[in-house]
């Protein structure tokens, strides 16, 4: 039971990270209908930028952890958002309204570019960071194993909840959210009604990248390490999460992310670590076969 | 699939398709409600009704794109009855011989007009190519079968006046030509029933007249029955032998064009008369009848 | 940052130079924002953990390159009114490229056949030729699935892996030779194509893409972890080399060289492998060209154009899609067993997602449906990539950037027009813009 509760907490933590990345996929898919393959690498860039900003703060003498984390969060979000914006501008906007596969290939090219750009710029070696946030709470009977929640896990889950809430409000209440939903429904009509479609799409990429950088920071805090290769695996998992939840649906992305995180953690805990990705992918396949639009996605009605 | 379903009713000889108690629900919405009618051999049957009356839904049930919630669709092809609601969509064309066109034309735009007509002859050509195996090796009678298929396509292209444009991509053709090409493509599957979803929509008067001539020739020369959805009353009245009227998913009238035109319920449905007035009109009719 | 950001300039009218300068300045500022943290500060492990190492000169170079490059572009091809950005290939270039392709294809085959005996050709070139031809074959195989049937497959490398492991395992456990294993590997791969394809082919578009990606990854992870069967990450070694129809390439009286009275040379086997893959690739090409003219090929293309219309014409879309999937898989299986026999060693590392992405990129960059375009794309991508070997990591950066640039330049690939499979009077090429690319 304690073991189960422990895995549940670990799974939720991992799922939060996936969920944050998945939002970027699902928003972009919702609005321009493309798989932004480079998004996983934007997450990786976000992790690196968080690391660099943190190290810069340390060298400037700012070592009070909550303050440092706040600054890292904001600066890394801003810098990664710039990357997200640039990726859209360079690799996707010229292909707007073009054939479906062209942006996908362009995105794969962008993914290769970013991965190797970071590798060249930051060196191929893994970057280990000693724990920044330490400590935690223990529940359960004294003498037993107990259930540990580390402060890092609390930060990750709390930040995710806060961002998700803020983000849902953003989409539901603000003019930007309305413009986004309008573009999702019908881009041409939205532009005729005075919505600046280009700007809305750019902002979508900016928000997605900012959330991915938060995920990058969380990853860095949780695992204490980044390398240029984390983007691919995390990206594929997060995309899986987005599809599982129903692509285009924001709550779906979060639910999908949590599910993938939980499945992976429980599978590793009770069965085998080696096959945890197989478990995640198999569940994806099963869900898609029986529920082709994901858990929370709108069913696609075939128009004849 | 080739065995006669035990529960298939035997249709009167002049009836090709019998629609019985057809009902289609989408969630809470009843798109088609308890509709029954017959399509007779050698006739052009028109399905009319205001927008949203459920015409296309009836079509999609007959052609296998929807599975009806309730109802039985019996089609008699050469003495063998088929229950359409039990067939998969591609079997409806291949086995039962029902072909269709679409409201928003669905040609293979990047393929030539000729290729479009050859795709329609897929099943016999596939057999002739030995399910591809013999065709790849270049043995068997595929070459002959293909020449025959091309010849058939050429005849159809001539009939619809597109022989000169056989090698142009379908998407490059003018709208009216695309409509006719889609009908020719459906006819290339050798159907016993041709279902046309608003064939005259967007046509100019001349093209519309050409279409009428084409449909008449299909009825007389090819012996196929035609079921068509149409808004253009001049087309309906001119060529159809039998008219079925739907309104709000219900069948409100079924008969010869002349009688349908004078039916007050049909007039009411089209002109949007208030419900009380309809019942008032109905009462009047009953009174005059009795 | 240098490619697309010119609408600001095209919109505003002269003074052009000032506008171009201002735009280049903005671009340089953005480049500074991007490069300053990532390129300027390098996290380096030191004695007391990570610390930052400044590299400001790299930032300066990057910013300068962006500024100058953009200014030049603004003043030349992006000058107001010079040219609109294209999102589709123009029909005229399409037709021209299709004609060139038609003329060059026979010449390319002649060169390919003669290559090992051309003067100045060394072992390295033949080796490179083998590599390029392997990707040409994979590209042609995937072209059946993506280019003709319009099904987006992101896990194609899985079937390549099935082919490679089939040969390696059959040879290891049953001592079967290459020539028996080659068809078996193809059949097994096709069989897997059907097994994997059957449940998922009713999914559409990107769902199909992600499921095929998932299948590809599952197969790789299983190969990686099924130690007793596949050797796990250590892979399988000592895979038998192919023989010349029974004659082995070895020194000694019963070897290939001695039988034909030649001096023994290690090059014989390389040349033999070269012709083997050339033959396999040409068979793939031949079969694809034939299939296009058969009803099944036309049904694939019709499926790509409009699936609903296909169903209304009595085409069984499930079996039609499955045959495309299985045939594509079969050719990948052939290529896989060739790969195994050529390398003599295989491990899951050779079958990562990046390979699938690369093959898909070759198909799309070459122009879906165009056999010649795919071959050229494979030559440029793989050959070019190998030629710049000494640039190491930088070549990958350039590789990614080139993929983006080609797509922006020609979104439908090099040869995007379609040749009709049959004609009545005159064969006209069909502009790429009219051809659909499928939703499945």
């Amino acid at each position: 039971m304690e073991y189960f509760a422990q895995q549940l907490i670990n799974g939720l933590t991992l799922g939060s990270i996936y969920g944050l990345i998945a939002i970027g996929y699902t928003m972009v898919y919702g609005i321009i209908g493309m798989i932004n393959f480079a998004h996983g690498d934007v997450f990786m860039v976000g992790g690196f930028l968080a690391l660099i900003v943190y190290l810069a703060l340390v060298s400037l003498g700012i070592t009070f952890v909550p303050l440092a984390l706040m600054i890292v969060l904001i600066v890394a979000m801003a810098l990664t958002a710039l990357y997200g914006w640039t990726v859209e501008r360079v690799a996707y906007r010229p292909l707007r309204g073009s054939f479906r596969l062209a942006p996908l290939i362009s995105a794969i090219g962008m993914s290769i570019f970013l991965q190797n750009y970071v590798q060249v710029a930051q060196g191929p070696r893994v970057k280990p960071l000693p724990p920044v946030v330490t400590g935690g709470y223990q529940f359960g009977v004294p003498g037993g194993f107990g259930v540990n929640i580390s402060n890092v896990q609390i930060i990750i889950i709390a930040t995710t909840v806060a961002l998700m809430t803020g983000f849902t409000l953003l989409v539901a209440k603000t003019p930007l959210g309305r413009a986004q939903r309008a573009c999702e429904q019908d881009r041409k009509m939205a532009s005729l009604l005075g919505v600046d479609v280009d700007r809305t799409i750019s902002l979508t990429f900016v928000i997605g990248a900012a959330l991915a950088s938060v995920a990058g920071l969380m990853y860095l805090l949780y695992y204490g390490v980044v390398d240029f290769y984390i983007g691919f695996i995390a990206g594929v998992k997060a995309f899986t999460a987005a599809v599982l939840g129903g692509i285009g649906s924001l709550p779906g992305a979060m639910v999908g992310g949590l599910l993938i995180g939980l499945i992976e953690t429980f599978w590793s805990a009770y069965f085998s670590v080696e096959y945890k990705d197989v478990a995640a992918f198999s569940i994806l396949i099963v869900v898609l076969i029986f529920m082709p639009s994901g858990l929370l996605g709108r069913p696609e009605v075939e128009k004849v | 699939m080739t065995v006669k379903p035990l529960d298939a009713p035997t249709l009167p000889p002049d009836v090709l398709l019998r629609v019985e108690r057809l009902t289609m629900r989408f969630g809470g919405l009843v798109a088609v409600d308890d509709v029954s009618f017959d399509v007779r051999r050698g006739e052009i049957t028109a399905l009319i009704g205001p927008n949203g009356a459920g015409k296309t839904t009836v079509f999609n049930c007959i052609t296998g794109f929807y599975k009806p919630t309730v109802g039985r669709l019996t089609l008699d092809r050469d003495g063998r009855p088929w229950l359409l609601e039990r067939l998969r969509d591609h079997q409806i064309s291949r086995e039962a011989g029902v072909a269709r066109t679409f409201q928003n034309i669905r040609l293979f735009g990047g393929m030539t007009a000729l290729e479009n007509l050859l795709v329609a002859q897929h099943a016999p050509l596939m057999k002739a190519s030995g399910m591809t195996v013999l065709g790849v090796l270049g043995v068997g009678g595929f070459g002959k079968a293909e020449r025959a298929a091309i010849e058939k396509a050429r005849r159809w292209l001539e009939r619809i006046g597109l022989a000169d444009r056989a090698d142009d991509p379908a998407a490059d053709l003018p709208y009216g030509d695309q409509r006719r090409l889609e009908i020719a493509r459906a006819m290339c599957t050798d159907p016993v029933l041709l279902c046309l979803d608003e064939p005259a929509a967007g046509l100019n008067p001349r093209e519309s007249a050409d279409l009428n001539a084409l449909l008449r020739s299909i009825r007389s020369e090819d012996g196929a029955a035609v079921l068509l959805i149409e808004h253009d009353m001049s087309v309906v009245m001119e060529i159809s032998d039998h008219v079925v009227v739907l309104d709000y998913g219900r069948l409100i009238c079924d008969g010869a064009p002349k009688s349908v035109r004078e039916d007050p319920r049909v007039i009411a449905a089209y002109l949007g008369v208030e419900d009380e007035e309809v019942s008032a009109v109905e009462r009047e009719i009953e009174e005059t009848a009795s | 940052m240098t490619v697309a950001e010119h609408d600001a300039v095209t919109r505003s009218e002269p003074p052009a130079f000032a506008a171009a300068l201002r735009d280049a300045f903005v671009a340089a500022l953005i480049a500074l924002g991007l490069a300053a943290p990532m390129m300027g500060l390098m996290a380096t492990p030191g004695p007391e953990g990570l610390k930052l190492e400044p590299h400001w000169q790299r930032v300066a170079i990057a910013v300068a390159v962006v500024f100058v490059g953009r200014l030049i572009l603004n003043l030349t091809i992006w000058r107001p009114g010079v040219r609109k950005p294209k999102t589709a290939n123009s029909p005229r270039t399409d037709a021209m490229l299709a004609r060139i392709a038609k003329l060059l294809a026979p010449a390319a085959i002649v060169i390919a056949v003669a290559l090992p005996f051309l003067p100045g050709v060394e072992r390295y070139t033949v080796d490179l030729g083998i590599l390029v031809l392997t990707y040409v074959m994979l590209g042609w195989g995937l072209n059946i699935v993506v280019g003709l049937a319009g099904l987006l497959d992101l896990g194609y490398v899985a079937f390549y892996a099935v082919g490679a492991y089939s040969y390696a395992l059959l040879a290891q456990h049953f001592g079967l030779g290459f020539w028996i294993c080659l068809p078996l590997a193809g059949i097994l791969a096709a069989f897997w194509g059907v097994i994997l394809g059957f449940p998922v082919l009713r999914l559409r578009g990107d769902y199909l893409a992600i499921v095929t990606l998932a299948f590809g990854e599952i197969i790789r992870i299983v190969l990686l972890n099924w130690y007793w069967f596949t050797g796990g990450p250590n892979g399988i070694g000592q895979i038998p080399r192919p023989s010349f129809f029974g004659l082995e390439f070895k020194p000694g009286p019963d070897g290939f060289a001695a039988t034909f009275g030649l001096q023994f040379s290690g090059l014989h086997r390389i040349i033999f492998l070269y012709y083997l893959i050339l033959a396999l690739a040409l068979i793939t090409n031949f079969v694809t060209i034939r299939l296009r003219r058969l009803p099944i090929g036309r049904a694939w293309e019709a499926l790509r154009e409009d699936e609903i219309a296909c169903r209304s014409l009595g085409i069984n879309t499930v079996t039609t899609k499955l045959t495309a999937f299985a045939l594509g898989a079969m050719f990948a299986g052939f290529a896989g067993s060739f790969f195994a026999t050529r390398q003599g060693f295989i491990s899951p590392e050779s079958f990562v997602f990046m390979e699938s992405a690369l093959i898909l990129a070759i198909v799309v960059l070459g122009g879906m449906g165009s056999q010649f375009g795919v071959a050229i794309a494979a030559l440029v991508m793989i050959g070019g990539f190998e030629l710049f070997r000494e640039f190491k990591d930088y070549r990958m950066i350039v590789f990614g950037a080139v993929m983006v640039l080609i797509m922006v330049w020609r979104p439908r690939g090099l040869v995007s027009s379609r040749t009709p499979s049959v004609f009545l009077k005159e064969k006209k090429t069909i502009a790429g813009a009219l051809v659909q690319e499928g939703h499945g």
Side-chain angles (χ1 to χ4, degrees):
Chain A
M1 191 57 220
E2 284 157 354
Y3 187 63
F4 180 86
Q6 184 67 57
Q7 297 311 324
L8 189 67
I9 290 165
N10 295 349
L12 286 176
T13 314
L14 184 61
S16 300
I17 296 176
Y18 288 151
L20 283 174
I21 310 173
I23 288 173
Y25 278 108
T26 220
M27 274 197 314
V28 166
Y29 190 90
I31 202 160
I32 54 174
M34 72 166 281
I35 303 177
N36 178 10
F37 230 96
H39 190 61
D41 297 284
V42 170
F43 152 76
M44 178 269 298
V45 166
F48 266 94
L49 288 171
L51 175 73
I52 292 165
V53 175
Y54 176 75
L55 291 176
L57 289 178
V58 171
S59 66
L60 289 175
I62 302 171
T63 47
F64 178 57
V65 170
L67 178 67
L69 283 186
M70 275 315 283
I71 299 175
V72 169
L73 186 72
I74 291 164
V75 177
M77 274 171 90
L79 290 174
T80 316
L82 187 61
Y83 270 90
W85 181 85
T86 311
V87 166
E88 193 270 333
R89 212 62 208 262
V90 172
Y92 307 149
R93 186 172 297 184
L95 294 171
R96 188 94 33 88
S98 176
F99 306 98
R100 186 168 56 99
L101 280 177
L104 180 71
I105 298 299
S106 185
I108 292 174
M110 202 31 129
S111 162
I112 296 174
F113 176 85
L114 283 176
Q115 226 176 74
N116 291 280
Y117 160 72
V118 172
Q119 187 189 351
V120 167
Q122 291 291 317
R125 289 171 68 179
V126 175
K127 314 286 178 204
L129 185 71
V132 177
V133 183
T134 47
Y137 298 91
Q138 191 172 37
F139 302 99
V141 280
F145 279 111
V147 178
N148 291 302
I149 302 188
S150 67
N151 286 336
V152 176
Q153 288 176 318
I154 294 173
I155 291 176
I156 291 175
I157 295 173
T159 314
T160 306
V161 170
L163 280 173
M164 264 313 284
T165 320
F167 190 69
T168 313
L169 288 176
L170 179 82
V171 172
K173 308 266 179 197
T174 63
L176 168 65
R178 201 156 42 237
Q180 253 178 350
R181 281 177 287 146
C183 292
E184 256 176 59
Q185 293 284 324
D186 188 336
R187 224 185 301 156
K188 198 178 240 167
M189 196 62 214
S191 82
L192 288 175
L193 293 174
V195 175
D196 187 339
V197 174
D198 279 345
R199 188 169 151 269
T200 311
I201 293 174
S202 280
L203 276 170
T204 307
F205 275 85
V206 162
I207 295 169
L211 290 176
S213 86
V214 177
L217 171 62
M218 305 297 178
Y219 185 95
L220 178 67
L221 292 177
Y222 194 49
Y223 292 103
V225 62
V226 283
D227 65 79
F228 65 93
Y229 198 64
I230 57 171
F232 172 68
I233 298 286
V236 170
K237 296 268 184 60
F239 184 66
T240 305
V243 175
L244 183 61
I247 202 153
S249 148
L250 293 177
M254 208 58 232
V255 170
L258 289 177
L259 274 177
I260 292 283
L262 286 171
I263 290 164
E264 204 180 303
T265 313
F266 278 107
W267 191 276
S268 313
Y270 289 98
F271 300 102
S272 72
V273 183
E274 290 87 11
Y275 288 105
K276 65 179 176 155
D277 295 354
V278 172
F281 289 139
S282 307
I283 294 211
L284 169 84
I285 292 167
V286 170
V287 168
L288 280 184
I289 289 169
F290 294 103
M291 246 191 278
S293 10
L295 294 172
L296 300 181
R298 273 187 299 269
E300 194 183 322
V301 180
E302 190 174 62
K303 275 282 198 189
V304 179
Chain B
M1 271 306 161
T2 50
V3 183
K4 172 182 166 167
L6 290 173
D7 45 353
T10 313
L11 301 180
D14 64 326
V15 174
L16 174 68
L17 168 74
R18 171 160 284 177
V19 176
E20 290 167 284
R21 316 216 60 167
L22 179 68
T23 302
M24 184 76 204
R25 286 191 204 101
F26 297 103
L29 177 82
V30 185
V32 176
D33 188 5
D34 201 17
V35 168
S36 306
F37 63 92
D38 283 350
V39 175
R40 277 185 289 278
R41 286 175 207 283
E43 282 195 358
I44 295 179
T45 306
L47 189 59
I48 65 168
N51 285 328
K55 304 177 300 281
T56 298
T57 307
V58 170
F59 245 55
N60 285 339
C61 289
I62 293 173
T63 53
F65 283 88
Y66 294 157
K67 287 278 160 263
T69 319
V70 182
R72 187 164 65 176
L73 304 159
T74 321
L75 182 131
D76 184 288
R77 186 186 199 184
D78 308 326
R80 176 189 281 171
W82 295 93
L83 290 174
L84 298 185
E85 76 275 12
R86 296 192 190 164
L87 294 181
R88 289 174 51 205
D89 43 19
H90 69 271
Q91 291 173 320
I92 287 192
S93 161
R94 197 183 285 189
E95 311 287 348
V98 178
R100 73 170 290 176
T101 65
F102 298 88
Q103 202 169 339
N104 44 348
I105 308 172
R106 284 182 175 275
L107 285 169
F108 306 121
M111 301 172 86
T112 63
L114 176 67
E115 284 180 303
N116 268 276
L117 299 188
L118 287 181
V119 172
Q121 304 177 54
H122 178 76
L125 281 176
M126 196 70 187
K127 208 172 275 167
S129 74
M131 301 324 265
T132 304
V133 180
L134 298 178
V136 171
L137 301 173
V139 294
F142 177 67
K144 203 174 139 221
E146 190 177 37
R147 277 192 297 280
I150 292 174
E151 178 54 29
K152 181 174 174 184
R154 200 185 52 76
R155 273 202 315 275
W156 270 104
L157 286 167
E158 273 167 12
R159 265 176 90 170
I160 59 173
L162 284 179
D164 290 341
R165 307 214 56 181
D167 299 319
D168 285 328
D172 262 358
L173 299 175
Y175 189 80
D177 290 351
Q178 292 196 14
R179 282 257 176 237
R180 287 203 307 282
L181 181 61
E182 206 191 12
I183 294 172
R185 187 180 69 178
M187 285 308 294
C188 277
T189 64
D190 289 328
V192 291
L193 175 64
L194 175 67
C195 300
L196 305 173
D197 198 346
E198 299 199 23
L203 299 189
N204 63 35
R206 238 207 70 210
E207 290 171 325
S208 195
D210 286 350
L211 176 78
N212 289 354
L214 177 65
L215 294 185
R216 283 208 192 91
S217 83
I218 285 173
R219 177 179 53 184
S220 56
E221 288 173 35
D222 304 274
V226 178
L227 174 64
L228 61 96
I229 293 179
E230 193 46 77
H231 277 298
D232 186 338
M233 279 305 140
S234 64
V235 175
V236 172
M237 294 305 155
E238 205 182 318
I239 64 167
S240 49
D241 305 298
H242 174 198
V243 179
V244 175
V245 192
L246 295 184
D247 189 24
Y248 292 113
R250 289 215 178 85
L251 184 120
I252 57 170
C253 186
D254 181 356
K258 199 162 167 285
S259 67
V260 166
R261 187 165 42 187
E262 285 152 11
D263 190 309
R265 284 168 303 178
V266 177
I267 297 167
Y270 268 89
L271 299 179
V273 185
E274 303 279 323
D275 282 351
E276 303 97 74
E277 284 183 50
V278 175
S279 40
V281 173
E282 279 172 349
R283 231 176 294 125
E284 263 173 51
I285 299 166
E286 277 161 27
E287 278 162 20
T288 39
S290 59
Chain C
M1 196 48 258
T2 50
V3 181
E5 240 256 279
H6 58 284
D7 7 22
V9 183
T10 34
R11 261 185 237 124
S12 62
E13 292 306 310
F17 185 75
L21 201 62
R22 196 169 56 234
D23 172 75
F25 183 69
V26 172
L29 264 185
I30 292 166
L32 180 67
L34 293 172
M38 191 60 94
M39 294 169 76
L41 298 165
M42 185 167 163
T44 337
E48 301 116 46
L50 290 173
K51 65 176 186 27
L52 291 173
E53 196 181 275
H55 283 276
W56 300 114
Q57 77 287 357
R58 299 197 301 198
V59 181
I61 293 170
V63 171
V65 165
V66 169
F67 181 77
V68 173
R70 195 156 176 94
L71 189 62
I72 291 171
L73 284 172
N74 279 339
L75 293 174
T76 54
I77 58 170
W78 287 346
R79 222 173 49 226
V82 166
R83 197 171 57 172
K84 285 249 137 213
K86 291 185 301 186
T87 50
N89 303 344
S90 80
R92 205 181 319 141
T93 7
D94 259 5
M96 195 183 69
L97 279 168
R99 236 186 343 266
I100 293 175
K102 208 170 185 178
L103 291 174
L104 281 185
I109 292 177
V110 169
I111 293 173
V113 170
L115 181 84
F117 301 105
L118 291 179
V121 169
E122 303 155 36
R123 185 189 166 128
Y124 170 75
T125 319
V126 182
D127 260 331
L128 185 56
I130 293 175
L131 188 69
V132 168
L133 283 172
T134 311
Y135 280 94
V136 169
M137 179 173 177
L138 286 168
W140 280 341
L142 183 61
N143 202 4
I144 296 177
V145 184
V146 180
L148 291 181
L151 303 166
L152 186 48
D153 183 354
L154 285 181
Y156 191 61
V157 80
F159 306 119
Y160 187 42
V162 168
Y165 273 88
S166 300
Y167 172 49
L169 290 169
L170 286 170
Q172 199 180 43
H173 293 292
F174 303 103
L176 295 179
F178 176 74
W179 293 103
I180 299 170
C181 291
L182 181 71
L184 284 179
I187 290 167
L188 277 169
F191 172 73
W192 274 98
V194 172
I195 297 263
L196 301 191
F198 192 71
V200 302
L201 280 178
R202 65 196 189 101
L203 299 177
R204 297 168 69 134
D206 302 284
Y207 288 117
L208 180 68
I210 192 72
V211 167
T212 50
L213 190 158
F215 270 135
E217 284 295 293
I218 287 176
I219 286 192
R220 188 182 63 84
I221 296 167
V222 169
L223 290 176
L224 197 60
N225 290 300
W226 199 358
Y227 291 97
W228 66 267
F229 189 60
T230 65
N234 302 328
I236 300 173
Q238 291 176 332
I239 300 167
R241 300 310 195 126
S243 57
F244 185 81
F245 305 102
L247 289 174
E248 282 181 47
F249 292 93
K250 61 178 183 188
D254 51 350
F256 170 81
T259 316
F260 288 90
L262 299 166
Q263 184 87 46
F264 174 78
S265 155
L267 202 57
H268 289 160
R269 181 165 68 212
I270 307 292
I271 292 175
F272 174 67
L273 282 170
Y274 176 84
Y275 280 117
L276 181 58
I277 187 67
L278 181 63
L280 284 172
L282 288 178
I283 288 172
T284 313
N285 185 32
F286 171 78
V287 171
T288 311
I289 289 174
R290 279 215 71 105
L291 285 172
R292 266 203 72 203
R293 296 187 187 145
L294 288 173
I296 185 72
R298 249 178 246 133
W300 287 336
E301 292 200 78
L303 202 63
R304 179 191 67 201
E305 296 282 327
D306 193 326
E307 186 177 336
I308 287 172
C310 277
R311 284 192 263 155
S312 81
L313 295 173
I315 294 174
N316 185 341
T317 52
V318 175
T319 49
T320 307
K321 284 180 181 179
L322 270 183
T323 32
F325 223 63
L327 274 170
M330 186 181 78
F331 288 120
F334 291 150
S337 66
F338 172 81
F339 176 78
T341 191
R342 180 205 168 200
Q343 297 283 337
F345 164 78
I346 50 167
S347 75
E349 233 167 88
S350 308
F351 308 105
V352 291
F353 167 73
M354 221 46 244
E355 291 287 312
S356 290
L358 181 62
I359 302 164
L360 180 67
I362 286 172
V363 172
V364 178
L365 295 174
M368 292 197 304
S370 158
Q371 299 292 90
F372 187 72
V374 170
I376 291 296
L379 180 67
V380 170
M381 302 270 288
I382 306 297
F385 191 64
E386 286 298 312
L387 284 182
F388 294 106
R389 191 172 269 283
E390 62 247 57
F391 293 93
K392 288 194 193 116
D393 302 332
Y394 288 95
R395 68 178 182 157
M396 280 306 280
I397 299 185
V398 174
F399 185 75
V402 164
M403 274 170 79
V404 175
L405 284 176
I406 294 185
M407 279 295 102
V408 171
W409 172 54
R410 287 186 73 79
R412 294 229 77 169
L414 295 171
V415 186
S416 60
S417 56
R418 177 179 174 273
T419 321
S421 61
V422 61
F423 61 96
L424 214 50
K425 297 191 184 77
E426 165 193 15
K427 195 175 228 170
K428 305 172 183 168
T429 50
I430 297 171
L434 297 177
V435 181
Q436 299 296 308
E437 55 179 336
H439 300 282

